[in-house]
Amino acid sequence: MGYRKIWIVGFDIVSSCQLRCIGCPNSTLKRPIEKIKMHNFEACLSNIDVDIIKSFRLFNFGEPLLHEDVPGVISAIKRQKFKTKGIEIYTNAQHHDFEQLKEIFKTKQLRSMTVSCDGDGTAADYEGQRPPAKWERLLEFLAKASEFQKQYSPETELGTCTICQTPEGQQRWRAILDPLGIAPAFRGRWNMPDAQDFNPDMLRVIPNRPCVYLDTHRLYVNADGSVGTCCQHPQVLTLGNLKVQRYSEIFQGRPRRFLRELHKTDRRAHPICGVCIAETHTPKLIKVVNSLFGRKNGA
């Protein structure tokens, strides 16, 4: 097989999300919420035929904390033959099963938990950017996550990734987060295909070359085991299904080769890839994550 390492696994243990954030494709695609069964999850894990996974993320476009057994999911990962250097969770902080949240931290297996936020640090802007999220539920979650992290897993990095670029807004967020020991990271909004606020007037010339997601060892899996292409859109192309195929087979498979060739010859012909500017903001994301968690290399 010859593949030893995957840089990033983004595994949606829950498909979709209960929010309709205006900057996310979920705002218009409205995919149903489905949770992966543990036996299917273990089947997928057994087909990841590499030695090392640098970052195993229990999310892509779904809300992982909607799953009823996240501690069991974490335990299943740790039982595999491959070694992972970090399990990560991003959450919208709106699902409040605090007993499960406590058990997640008690596993002591999370490298990081990051809360996704939008807005200028006020209730009105936050709720307007992330309907139907509620500001008070966000604040309650942040307090509980901070409490559990300090009590059960202080080595877990706790932070936010916040869409806010104004100094005034960033200061408001820091006033909330600093007392809780939560590290904020800030970024601008990305022009994501199929997002509610997608703006075609902001499109740039997309070069004819394979994008970074097709040219590096990354694996993005949906809750039904199907393998997608990237973390920029959940429905670009299905490359295979990890329940019945090994990662090496999918990586070398015909669908991925087809999309790589299309990117090289006429990328703009694809309705999603042809308007996606992922390669212009992916380095910015890596810089944001590195600054948040003090890492020297991406993911």
Side-chain angles (χ1 to χ4, degrees), residues 58 65 69-79 86-89 99-113 148-149 151-156:
L58 297 178
L65 297 189
D69 191 13
V70 179
V73 165
I74 293 171
S75 295
I77 295 170
K78 301 306 291 186
R79 289 195 298 269
I87 299 174
E88 302 179 4
I89 287 177
E99 283 303 310
Q100 171 163 254
L101 185 65
K102 180 192 299 183
E103 293 302 314
I104 291 170
F105 281 105
K106 288 174 74 173
T107 68
K108 299 184 183 294
Q109 298 295 332
L110 275 191
R111 178 168 69 185
S112 65
M113 178 176 286
F148 295 151
Q149 182 257 2
Q151 184 173 359
Y152 299 112
S153 188
E155 67 278 8
T156 297

Side-chain angles (χ1 to χ4, degrees), residues 19-277:
L19 302 188
R20 293 292 177 260
C21 304
I22 64 173
C24 174
N26 282 333
S27 65
T28 63
L29 297 178
K30 299 180 180 179
R31 299 178 301 144
I33 293 176
E34 299 175 354
K35 307 167 189 178
I36 194 167
K37 303 295 185 184
M38 284 301 301
H39 68 278
N40 287 332
F41 185 64
E42 299 227 28
C44 289
L45 293 179
S46 69
N47 278 322
I48 303 179
D49 50 344
V50 299
D51 298 326
I52 297 171
I53 296 172
K54 290 210 65 177
S55 177
F56 200 116
R57 299 174 176 176
L58 297 178
F59 62 92
N60 197 24
F61 278 92
E63 170 48 52
L65 297 189
L66 293 175
H67 199 283
E68 66 279 355
D69 191 13
V70 179
V73 165
I74 293 171
S75 295
I77 295 170
K78 301 306 291 186
R79 289 195 298 269
Q80 302 307 306
K81 293 180 179 179
F82 60 74
K83 303 298 182 183
T84 181
K85 295 189 175 182
I87 299 174
E88 302 179 4
I89 287 177
Y90 265 60
T91 176
N92 60 38
Q94 291 294 302
H95 181 68
H96 286 191
D97 182 347
F98 291 139
E99 283 303 310
Q100 171 163 254
L101 185 65
K102 180 192 299 183
E103 293 302 314
I104 291 170
F105 281 105
K106 288 174 74 173
T107 68
K108 299 184 183 294
Q109 298 295 332
L110 275 191
R111 178 168 69 185
S112 65
M113 178 176 286
T114 304
V115 175
S116 297
C117 308
D118 294 352
D120 62 2
T122 65
D125 201 25
Y126 170 79
E127 293 178 359
Q129 300 283 340
R130 302 178 72 84
K134 298 301 180 185
W135 178 254
E136 291 303 322
R137 290 181 69 82
L138 169 68
L139 298 184
E140 185 181 2
F141 184 96
L142 292 171
K144 282 291 185 182
S146 175
E147 173 190 339
F148 295 151
Q149 182 257 2
K150 291 172 182 174
Q151 184 173 359
Y152 299 112
S153 188
E155 67 278 8
T156 297
E157 298 154 344
L158 191 57
T160 66
C161 188
T162 305
I163 298 176
C164 176
Q165 290 191 300
T166 67
E168 298 81 8
Q170 292 179 9
Q171 184 56 41
R172 280 191 287 268
W173 280 112
R174 289 192 177 96
I176 295 167
L177 299 171
D178 287 352
L180 297 173
I182 299 175
F186 300 101
R187 66 171 177 88
R189 186 172 300 284
W190 299 331
N191 198 30
M192 299 185 74
D194 281 324
Q196 185 177 326
D197 67 349
F198 177 72
N199 183 359
D201 293 335
M202 293 177 62
L203 292 181
R204 307 175 188 180
V205 175
I206 307 298
N208 283 331
R209 62 169 184 259
C211 82
V212 64
Y213 297 101
L214 292 174
D215 257 9
T216 55
H217 282 278
R218 303 170 186 232
L219 176 62
Y220 299 96
V221 192
N222 300 310
D224 60 359
S226 61
V227 174
T229 59
C230 63
C231 61
Q232 301 304 311
H233 194 283
Q235 296 178 347
V236 174
L237 181 68
T238 298
L239 303 182
N241 194 296
L242 201 60
K243 287 189 295 186
V244 295
Q245 293 175 279
R246 293 192 177 277
Y247 165 73
S248 55
E249 177 186 352
I250 296 170
F251 188 81
Q252 299 174 86
R254 181 177 297 177
R256 179 176 169 276
R257 295 200 310 270
F258 163 78
L259 192 58
R260 287 189 80 256
E261 189 60 30
L262 180 64
H263 276 209
K264 289 191 293 184
T265 57
D266 191 8
R267 181 169 169 177
R268 289 181 290 277
H270 193 282
I272 297 170
C273 298
V275 297
C276 179
I277 59 171

